[in-house]
Amino acid sequence: MKNETVVGSEQGAGSDDTTLLLFYLLLDESESMKGLPIETINRALKSLCEEMAKHPAISEKVRVSIIAFSEQPQTIVGLSDLADLETIPGLTPQSNTDYAKAFVYLRDCIERDVAALLADGIGAYRPAVFFMSDGAPDPGNNWKSEFAKLVDPAWKLHPNVISFGIGQADESVISQVSTLAAYMADSNTTPADAINEWATALLQTLLRSADAGAVMVPAAITGYHQVGVSRVA
């Protein structure tokens, strides 16, 4: 997809050489991810860092932040060139699945990160989010209103969201927590296999996006089917 106006360009920041593509990985670490799924995602994130070190083009154009969420969201890796990391903290299974707090936290992170880049004279395109969950949001959770605030076009930094559902995720919910594309793991795809394929798709997205200078949505992902993007009611 074509990128939109550079964030902060009106302040003079962000020539073609100093404008970054920002990717946020918003990952479920609730109790249902315990065991092989969370072990797989931790291995996948480590491999992602190793692979990114092999591709200088990504380092020049892309920064990535990793945020885990359950009852409380937390930053695992702040906005970084992942190729520079020698180690990466792992996710650990927690308790509930609070989508609302995750969306509020992500919005705050984007605000702070872009402000810090601008202060250093670096521009940024509108961020992209890779959201992944294996379950439904907590009952009574006001996630719809918080997601609407996150992607509100009136907020200049509102991100493009690509969502992935694995395991027992609710397909109708996954379709609503996305703006560009939504993918649901096939019924015969195990959560571990789904995570591995997600990691492969993520790396290819980062490579293609860095090359194109724009967020490139995966056309198809092994073990997944694409679902329609639905507006949050």
Side-chain angles (χ1 to χ4, degrees):
M1 64 169 290
K2 184 179 179 180
N3 262 335
E4 300 177 34
T5 305
V6 176
V7 174
S9 59
E10 68 273 18
Q11 283 85 21
S15 67
D16 287 345
D17 293 333
T18 57
T19 302
L20 297 174
L21 291 162
L22 311 183
F23 286 84
Y24 290 81
L25 312 185
L26 189 58
L27 309 175
D28 187 344
E29 64 171 0
S30 59
E31 180 68 21
S32 56
M33 290 285 287
K34 185 176 181 180
L36 186 57
I38 212 157
E39 292 170 7
T40 303
I41 200 166
N42 285 337
R43 286 195 298 269
L45 292 174
K46 183 176 183 292
S47 296
L48 176 65
C49 294
E50 294 170 351
E51 286 298 318
M52 288 182 68
K54 302 174 184 178
H55 300 283
I58 297 181
S59 295
E60 293 173 3
K61 291 291 186 181
V62 173
R63 296 294 180 269
V64 178
S65 176
I66 303 172
I67 297 171
F69 71 94
S70 54
E71 186 171 359
Q72 297 291 340
Q74 61 173 330
T75 298
I76 302 299
V77 175
L79 196 67
S80 308
D81 176 359
L82 294 188
D84 289 340
L85 300 182
E86 294 183 0
T87 61
I88 184 169
L91 278 66
T92 54
Q94 304 294 331
S95 53
N96 300 334
T97 313
D98 196 321
Y99 280 23
K101 288 180 182 176
F103 297 144
V104 172
Y105 186 84
L106 174 60
R107 196 180 196 278
D108 290 343
C109 288
I110 292 172
E111 287 270 18
R112 289 195 302 270
D113 289 345
V114 173
L117 289 173
L118 295 180
D120 289 337
I122 301 171
Y125 292 108
R126 192 148 65 86
V129 176
F130 266 52
F131 173 91
M132 184 171 65
S133 180
D134 77 331
D138 293 342
N141 191 281
N142 62 332
W143 66 268
K144 290 185 179 182
S145 61
E146 297 302 343
F147 183 76
K149 293 175 187 176
L150 175 68
V151 299
D152 183 357
W155 181 42
K156 188 171 184 178
L157 307 182
H158 67 285
N160 296 303
V161 183
I162 305 166
S163 62
F164 297 81
I166 66 174
Q168 300 302 309
D170 185 328
E171 184 170 308
S172 66
V173 172
I174 294 301
S175 73
Q176 292 179 76
V177 291
S178 58
T179 61
L180 281 186
Y183 302 88
M184 190 71 197
D186 297 334
S187 59
N188 61 347
T189 302
T190 67
D193 286 343
I195 290 167
N196 284 326
E197 294 298 342
W198 167 87
T200 298
L202 172 60
L203 178 61
Q204 292 304 312
T205 296
L206 295 177
L207 285 168
R208 294 177 61 220
S209 298
D211 185 58
V215 178
M216 304 298 291
V217 178
I221 303 173
T222 302
Y224 286 82
H225 57 276
Q226 195 164 355
V227 298
V229 174
S230 302
R231 292 181 63 86
V232 172

